[in-house]
Amino acid sequence: GIFDILVPLIETDWVAAIFIFLAVAVVYMGFSNLILSVIVESANEVRCNDPCYQAAMKRKLRRQATKDLMELWQELNGDGSDTTMAKLKDKWVHSQSFRNHFKSMDIELAFLEHNLSLIEGVDGQITFEDFANMVIQLRHTDLGPSVSGLKHQMTTVLN
C-alpha cells in the first residue's frame, strides 16, 4: 500500500519527509476548511430563515431606533415635552448631529418640514410619538427616483 512507498522514502530523505508532512497537512486543512464552511453556511441559512431569530433582530433594531430617536428628541427638547416646528428648524441650523441624522436618510429640511407639518397639532406642538412614527416611516421608505424628483421639486418650491 501507500506505507510501502512512503516509509522507505521518509527513511532515506528527510526533505521528502517534510514535504510529505506539509502536503498531508495542507490537504487536511483544505478539506477541514471546506467542510467547516459548508456547516457554517448551512447554519447561517437556517438562522436567517428562523422566525425567532428574525423577531429578535427586529426587536433589536426597534430598540436601537428607539434609543436613537430618544437621543435625538432629548437633544431637541431637553425636558421631554412636546416641541414646535420652530425648535426643529433651529436645531437643524445649529446642530450638526441632528442634521446628519436626517441627511443619512437623504432627508433635507424642506422634506422634514413638510412631513412634520402633516403631524403638527392644532396648537403647533409635535409630540414624541408622532415624531417617532414619522421618522420610522421615513427611515423605512425607499426613496426611488420618483420620490427623489418630488422631493427636489418640493425643495425648490419651498425655498
Side-chain angles (χ1 to χ4, degrees):
I2 193 144
F3 290 112
D4 294 336
I5 298 170
L6 292 180
V7 171
L9 182 61
I10 291 171
E11 288 174 351
T12 357
D13 190 7
W14 64 273
V15 175
I18 293 173
F19 177 77
I20 291 170
F21 175 74
L22 288 176
V24 169
V26 167
V27 169
Y28 172 76
M29 294 297 277
F31 279 122
S32 296
N33 192 20
L34 181 64
I35 292 168
L36 186 61
S37 67
V38 168
I39 291 169
V40 168
E41 181 64 31
S42 299
N44 189 37
E45 187 176 321
V46 168
R47 182 184 61 164
C48 288
N49 293 329
D50 181 28
C52 290
Y53 176 74
Q54 294 299 325
M57 289 306 295
K58 283 182 182 178
R59 281 192 305 274
K60 180 180 176 185
L61 289 172
R62 195 174 307 122
R63 278 193 305 269
Q64 183 62 39
T66 303
K67 179 183 171 206
D68 291 346
L69 285 175
M70 285 300 291
E71 288 173 1
L72 202 61
W73 190 259
Q74 290 298 325
E75 180 183 332
L76 176 68
N77 209 6
D79 60 359
S81 62
D82 295 349
T83 192
T84 63
M85 187 72 77
K87 283 185 184 178
L88 286 165
K89 286 181 189 177
D90 185 57
K91 188 53 90 171
W92 181 279
V93 171
H94 294 101
S95 172
Q96 184 70 29
S97 63
F98 187 80
R99 214 174 21 252
N100 288 343
H101 180 79
F102 287 101
K103 285 190 176 189
S104 71
M105 294 184 289
D106 196 28
I107 296 173
E108 295 295 328
L109 179 60
F111 191 62
L112 181 63
E113 282 182 280
H114 172 72
N115 284 291
L116 289 171
S117 69
L118 298 175
I119 63 170
E120 191 174 30
V122 177
D123 58 354
Q125 297 292 311
I126 300 168
T127 65
F128 173 73
E129 292 79 19
D130 291 338
F131 178 76
N133 289 333
M134 187 264 318
V135 171
I136 289 170
Q137 185 179 8
L138 290 176
R139 184 177 286 167
H140 296 296
T141 301
D142 181 21
L143 296 177
S146 59
V147 175
S148 294
L150 177 65
K151 184 181 97 168
H152 173 70
Q153 291 299 325
M154 189 172 61
T155 303
T156 304
V157 168
L158 292 175
N159 289 334

